[in-house]
Amino acid sequence: MEGSSKVTVEYDDPDGLFSLLSEQLQARLPLRNLNWKSPSRPLRSIDALHVELAPTHEQQNHGINLTVPGTAGAVIKNVEARQKSTVALPSPRRHQIPGLHQTPYLRIYLLRCDDKEVYKANARKQLRDWVKEHTPPSHSASTSQQENHDAFEWLILHVIVPDTAAANEPRFSSTSNNSNNASDKSSSSSRWTGKGSSTIYERLKTDFNESGKNAADRVAQVRLSKTMAPPPTIPSTNSTVPSYEISPQEQEQAWDDFIVKMKALILMSFDLRVAQYEEDIREREAQRSLPGWNFCTFFLLKEGLARGFESVGLVDDALVGYDELSVGLDMIIRDQASDAPNNQAASFLKFAEDLKDLVKETSSTHEKGQQATLRLFEQPLSPARKDYRELILSNNISVFDFECYIFSRQMALLLRRSNIRRPSSKPGMDKRSYSEPPMSQRISGQSSSQSLAHRADETEDLGSLIELCTRALSFIPASARAMREDLNEASTSEGCERFESTIENIVSSWIYAVVQQVLSESATASLPAAVFQDGPDSSSSAKSFSHGKQQDQKGFPARTSSLQSRRSGSTEPPWANVPATSLTVFDSTVFDGGPRSAKEKSAKEKSDSIYNLNLEQLAAHRAELYLLQRRVLEQAGSPYGWLAGWSAISGPQSDKTVELSEVELDTANGDHPIRHDEDTGKLRTPSESKGLGVQALFAAVQSLDAFRALYISLSERASKHCSFARLPKMAEQVLGDLAALKFETGDYAMAAAYFQRIAPLYAEDGWSLIEVTMLKTYAHCLKILHRRDEYARVLLNLLAKAAAMEKSCLASQRKQVHSPREGKPNRLDDEGSEFVGQMTELVNFSSDLPYKITVSMNKYFDAVRVDPTVHHFPDKDGFEMQIKFRYLFDDDLDADAVKLRLVSTAAGQMRELWLHGNPSVRIKKGERLLWLGTNVSTLGHFSLERLIIEAKKVVFVHEFAPKPAPSTTLKLTTSSAQLSANSMNAPRILCYPRSGALDVTVALGRFIYIDKTKTIEVTIHTADNEIRSLEVRLRAGSAGLRLDTNKAKAIKSNIDIHDKSDIGTIKFANIPANTTLTIQVPYDIETSLREICIRPEATYVTDRGEFHFLGNATISVELPLDVNVFDVFKEQALFSKFTVRAATRIPLQLLSVELQQSSHFVVASPSRSKSPSLVFPRGPASFTYKIVKADSGLPSTPETPLILTIKYRCMDEDILERVEELFRTELDASSIADFAPILLPTLRSKMISGILDADFERAAMLNIARLGSFEEMGWSEIIASLPKARREVVSSWLQKWHDKSTIELKTPLDSDYTTSHPPRTIIIAVDVPTIQVLHTASLSLPNLSSPNSAQPPLAAVGQAVRADLHIRHTRHWDRNDTLASTANLSHPSDPLDFVYEIHANPDIWLLGGERRAHFSSREGETKTFALMLIPLVPGRHLLPRVEIRARGQRPRGEEKSQQQGLGREGGNSVSCETDYQSQAQTVMVIADVKGTTVEMRVPGQGESGAVLVGSEQRRGEVLRMIG
C-alpha cells in the first residue's frame, strides 16, 4: 500500500445524496487550521488537512443507488434493499498487524428524512441500527487494541431536500434551549405556526448525542437549494405547511457547523490512534531483549504511527518516525555483522529475488539481461516498485530492499514538505532528467494540476530539497555497498561465474539511476533555467546567475518570501519578460506592493537573504550529485581505456601529452583484447557492457564520442550549479576537467579559455602535479594558438612552480630530513629536467613583446637579503650596499639592470634613492652577492622598498614591504600615516654622508628686520671636493613658503653666484676644496607659521663624476622675544619705555639694546652694565629712553623712525653650539672622526628633544649644561646602523664621553665669542608718536599748607578749600599745517576751543565751581579757573582728576561707542593729551573734633554700653595750624 497524504472519510449514502452535496463539500476542502494537542507532544498546527471522501464497502462493491423520490413508502423500500445488500456483502477482515490497511477516520451517514412521521416510523430505527453497527471503540463496551489502531468516529448529516415538510421548518423550534442558536430561534419564532414541537434536527440531537460536558456533537444539518437538487429528488405532492425561507448567512452557518464537527471528530479518532500506537510501541520496545522479538513486526507497528502522522499532514513527525526506524535498522545490521547473541536480524535475506533473476539474465543472454536491467532501473526508488510491506511482514526482505524502502518513504515525505515548483520545459533543457512524473504526484495519485507540490497556497520549502540531496549523498554509497554484496551472494548461490565487471556495471547503473531520480525530484523552478541546459558556462564563477527574487529567467513566479509569506503560483514577475541582453534594475516599490516601511523592508530583505542562501545550498548539493554521476560514467568507461579530465593527461599511463589509440575488436572468435587494470590487478574485457541498466550509460559506452559528450554534459551542469552556489573552487575544478578533455579532443581555443579561468585557482591552492601538467598543457595550447603574451605568462607560472620545487628541496636539505622513497617515484622529481632552457626561452621571447612583464621575485629567487649597513666609497661621495639572493634555475640569467629603491621614512617626504649595479650581470645558479651603489649623499632613515632585476622585458621585483591599497570604494587616497606604517614594516637603512663629503645647511638669517623681507642663510661646505660646477636647488616644504632665489646674494665669501635665473636654482662654478659659501636668500610666508621646512638639493660635478646631495632643514621662524613700548609725553620731552620679554620658554641673553637717534629727534640713553642681561619668560627687561626734538626745528622732509637694535642669543642655541663644538673637538681627535657626519647631527637632534625647558633656565643661571646619559641619548639605534667591526669602538667612546654628565659654560670675551658664535640681531623701526595738542594742567591749593615737605597738606572734614586750576598747551609735537587743516584754522597760531572736566569722587569730595567749562586758548597761554573743594571723609585722598579735550569731542569713555554709531561731531577732531602734574598730589583730611564725652552705663539698669554725650570742635586750632 502506498503512502497516503490525506485522511479517509467514509460516507453511507442510502438515498444517493452525496452527488448533490459533493460540489459544496469539495469547495470547503481541505480542512483548514486544525490544532492537535497530545499529552506527550507539544501543540501541533495543521494548516491544511486533505480529505478523501469514499463510499462504504457495500456501495463500492454493488454500486447501490436507491434514490427514489416520493413518499415514505419509497424510503422503506430503500431501507429493505440496503439491509439485503448488507447481509449479502460482509465487511472486509482486519489484518492482525495494525496499520496495514487504510481505514476511515470518520463515518458519515447521509440522512434524508422529509418529515417527522418518517423519522418516527423508520429513520430513527435505521439510524440506531447503523450506529450500533458502526460504534467506534471509544463508545464500545468491549474495546480492543486492534480496534483502537483503526479508531474512527461517526457523524449523522441530515440533508434537507427542497419542498418537503422538513424544508419548511427551522433548525430549532421556539422552545429550543440551544443557546448556540439563539439568533435562529428568535428569527424563526415569528414565522413558525407550530405550537412549540421540536424539529427533526432537535430530535436527532436528543436521540443520538451523548450527554455530558465534554460529549461530542455528532449531528449536523444542511439544506439543499432547488438549483442544486434535480427534479427527481423533489416530491411531487404539495405541502400545506407555510414555506420557511433560510437566509444565505444561515445556510453558511449550517455548513460551517458541519465542517467544525468534522474537524473535531477526525482529531478525536486521530488522537485515539496515536495513543494506541504509542502504547504498543512502548510495549514492543520494552520486549526488544526478549527471545522472539522481531524487528520487522516492530517496524510495521511504528510505521503505522508514522503513516498516521503523514495522513493528517504532520510530515515532520512522520519523518522523525522513519529516521528512528532507519537508525534501528542500522543497529540491527551492525549487530548482525558482529554476530551478536540474540540477533533479531537473522531472518533478513542475503539477497533479493529480483537481483538473483537479474544475475541469471545478464549471465545468459546479453540482450535479454540488458532489457531486464533497463526495466529494473526505471524507477529504483519507489515505494510502489515492490510490495515492501508484505515482504517486511513475511520477513522475506533483504537489507538492500529494506534500506531502499525507508529512503523512498523519507524522500516522499521530504518532497511533500517541499511543495516544489517544477521547472517548465525550456529550449536546451535536458528532458531526460524529467521524463518521469515526480514522486509527489505518483505517490498521491493526483494529476499535475491537483498535485500537492503545485498548491499555490503553500510556500516552497527549499530546506527540504536540500535535506533530500544531503540524505541521498549519504544513502547512495552505503546502499551501493549493500547491493554489491547482494549481487555477489546471488551469483555465488546460483553457481554462476562471477564477473566483477558485470556486477560493477549493475551497481553503477543503480547509482546513476538513483542520482538521476533525486535530481529530477529536486529540480525546482526557483533555480535559473541555465543550470538545466547543456552548453559551456562562459561567465565567471558566482557571477553568471542572479539569486532569489531577481531572477532574469522568464516564467518564474514572483515571491514575497520563501519562508513565511504565501505565494501565487501563476503570476509572473515584472522582470520576467526582459531580453537576455538587457540590464534590469528592479524597483520593489513598483512591483512589490508599493512603498514599504523600514521594518517591512528589513524583514523582506532578511527573508530574501535566507531564500538566496537556501538556493545556493540546493545548487551545491545538486552539483555534488552531478559529479557523482560523472564518477560513475568514468568508472563505466575505464574498462575501455577511456579516460577523461586530468586522469587522461596526468594519469599513470599518460605521457607529456595524452594520445588516445583505437581499440581493435576481434569478434571472429568471441575474444576481446584485454588490458591489465593496475587498480584491481584483475583482467577486464573492455567491450563488455553487461549490467548497464541505464540507457544513458549504455549509450555512452558505445562510442568514445558518446562517452565524451555525456561527460561534458554532466561537467557543464555541475559547473553551472557550482557557479550559482558561489563555490568558485569547486566550479573551477570541474572546468579543469573540461579543459583537459577539450585539449584531448584538439579544441585548443576552448581548452585555453578554460585554462585561463582555472589557472589562478591551482596556483593559489598549491596543486603540485595537476598544476604542472595543467600549465604545460596550457602553454602548449597558447603556443599553437600563437598568443604570445599569455604564453609568456604561463611560462612564468611554470618557472615559478619549478622554483617552488627547488625551494622545497633546499628546505628539506637544511632540515637534514632524508626519508627513503618507496614505490613509484614522484613525478615532481622528474620535472626539473623539463624546465632547463625555459628561462632563456622566456627572456629571449620577451624581446618581441610590446610591453614589459613585471613579476614577483619571490617566485623565482630565494633568500633575498640586503645588508642594512651602508659602505662609503673611499675617494668619492656616495655609498654602496650589499645584496644577496639565491638563483634557483640551471639557466644563466643575463640581467640588463639590477636596482634597489630606498624610500625616506620621514613624515611628509617622498624622497627616494636608487642604487644601481653593473650595467650587465650574468646570474648563475646558487647564492649570489652583488654590490649596488649610488652617488647621492644624504642623511636620514630610509626603508627598503623594492629590488628590481631586469632581463630584457622581464622585470623581477621583490617588495620588501606590502603595498598599501591604492584607494577605497569611496575613492579615498591612502593617508600619510598609513604609508608611514607600511614603511615601518620594511627594513630600515640609516644613510649618512662620508667624512669629507659636500654639505649644505640652511639656517635663519642672523639679522632680522621687522619691516623688511626675512632671509635665510644657506651654507655650502665643499670639503674634499674640487667642484667644477655646482647647482643648488631650494625646495619649499611648507605650505605658503616662497623662496626668492633671484634676489639671493653671496656673503662672507669671494665666490660670486654664477647664475640664478632659474626659479629655485642657484649655480656656481669652479669652487676649490674646503671652501665655505654662504648665500642669503629672501623668503616670504603667506600664512603665519612657527616653522618652515626647506629641502636643499645639490648637483655637483668633480673629476670623479657627477654627484648629488639631498638635505632637509626645519627652521624656527618664530621670534623668540616680544618688545612693547609705553610713551609718556611731556612739554619738552618724550619718555619711551621698551619692555623685552621672552616669547617662548627658552631664556634669552641680551647683549645690547640700542635706540639710535634720527635727524629730527635726539635720544638720551640710560646707563647700563656691559655684561649680558638674562631675560626669562616671567622676568622681562625694561629700558627707558628720553626723546627730545632736535634744535633745527621741523624740516620739510618727513620724519624718519628711530631704530631699535637688539642683539641677543637664545640659550638653547647657545648651549647646543657649545656642546656641539666641544663634541666635535674631541671627536676629531679620536679614531672615529669619520663618523662625525652622523654623530654630530644625532647629538644635536637628541639634545633638542631630550633637554627640558627647566634645564635651559638652570644652565642660564648656573652656566652649567647637563649632557644626559648614554641611554637617554638613544645612541644604540644609531650604533646598530654602523659597520659591525666598529660598533664596539664607537659605543665605548660615546659612553666615555657621557661619563662627564655636565660641562661648564664659560662666557669668553665678546670679541672672541662673537667671532665663533655670532649673535642674532633684530632691528625694529620705531616711529615717534605725534600729538597735536599737549595740555599741561595743575591743581593748586593756596589756602592749605603742609607741616613739612614730606607730608601732604592738612584739611578738616567739611572745610571749604580753595583750588586753582591752571591750564596751558603746546602744539610743537606735530606739524603746524596738520593741526591747521584738522581744526580748520586760518593760521596755525589761532586759538582753539577746549573743554575741561573735573572728575571727583562724590563720596570723598564735594566740588564747588564749574565742574565742566569751555574755554579758548592759544599756544603757551595759561588759563586759571577757581574751584572750591570740600572733603567729606577723613583720610589721605588724591586730588580730583582733570580731563581736557577739544570742543566737540566726546569724552574718552564715549568715543568708541560714538565712532561705532553716528561718528564724531564736527568732522575731524583734534588729538589731545593731558599732562596732569597734580596726578599724584594728596591731601590729609582729618576730623574737626577736639574732645568727646561718653557716658558708661552699668548693666542691669535696662540699658548698657557707652553713650555719646557730646563733642568739642577744634576749628580754630585747625585754622591756626593752617595759618
Side-chain angles (χ1 to χ4, degrees), residues 926-959:
E927 291 191 359
R928 289 293 172 261
L929 184 148
L930 297 177
W931 286 93
L932 306 181
T934 180
N935 58 353
V936 178
S937 297
T938 186
L939 175 63
H941 284 90
F942 288 77
S943 63
L944 294 173
E945 188 191 48
R946 69 171 69 104
L947 175 64
I948 299 176
I949 299 179
E950 295 183 3
K952 293 188 177 180
K953 292 189 177 181
V954 180
V955 182
F956 300 95
V957 179
H958 175 74
E959 298 287 347

Side-chain angles (χ1 to χ4, degrees), residues 409-453:
R409 295 293 299 128
Q410 291 173 335
M411 182 168 63
L413 293 173
L414 290 172
L415 290 175
R416 179 186 175 185
R417 190 176 67 180
S418 66
N419 190 32
I420 188 172
R421 295 183 294 122
R422 296 297 173 187
S424 59
S425 179
K426 292 180 172 55
M429 183 180 295
D430 186 8
K431 299 181 180 180
R432 294 172 297 176
S433 303
Y434 313 105
S435 58
E436 295 294 334
M439 179 177 287
S440 57
Q441 297 181 19
R442 297 194 306 272
I443 294 176
S444 61
Q446 298 174 355
S447 63
S448 60
S449 61
Q450 299 175 346
S451 174
L452 298 178

Side-chain angles (χ1 to χ4, degrees), residues 988-1002:
R988 299 185 65 188
I989 307 297
L990 178 59
C991 300
Y992 58 95
R994 72 181 183 94
S995 179
L998 180 136
D999 188 26
V1000 179
T1001 59
V1002 181

Side-chain angles (χ1 to χ4, degrees), residues 588-628:
S588 61
T589 61
V590 177
F591 300 111
D592 211 3
R596 304 186 178 194
S597 64
K599 185 176 181 180
E600 291 175 346
K601 288 183 179 179
S602 177
K604 180 177 178 296
E605 291 175 358
K606 183 178 180 181
S607 176
D608 292 343
S609 176
I610 298 176
Y611 178 76
N612 294 339
L613 181 62
N614 289 337
L615 272 180
E616 294 174 4
Q617 292 181 357
L618 176 61
H621 291 299
R622 285 176 56 86
E624 294 182 26
L625 292 173
Y626 277 117
L627 293 179
L628 180 57

Side-chain angles (χ1 to χ4, degrees), residues 340-379:
N342 299 326
N343 185 15
Q344 295 88 354
S347 59
F348 286 165
L349 296 179
K350 293 184 178 180
F351 54 87
E353 292 297 329
D354 56 347
L355 293 182
K356 178 181 177 180
D357 297 339
L358 180 62
V359 171
K360 289 182 181 181
E361 293 174 354
T362 54
S363 301
S364 58
T365 305
H366 178 73
E367 182 179 359
K368 182 179 178 180
Q370 181 66 34
Q371 294 176 356
T373 309
L374 291 175
R375 290 194 303 272
L376 177 64
F377 297 132
E378 288 179 356
Q379 284 296 326

Side-chain angles (χ1 to χ4, degrees), residues 1234-1245:
D1234 53 331
F1235 291 115
I1238 179 60
L1239 296 181
L1240 282 171
T1242 303
L1243 174 69
R1244 184 178 184 86
S1245 63

Side-chain angles (χ1 to χ4, degrees), residues 370 373-374 377 508-510 512-513 691-699:
Q370 181 66 34
T373 309
L374 291 175
F377 297 132
S508 298
S509 300
W510 181 85
Y512 192 94
L692 292 178
V694 178
Q695 184 63 36
L697 284 179
F698 184 77

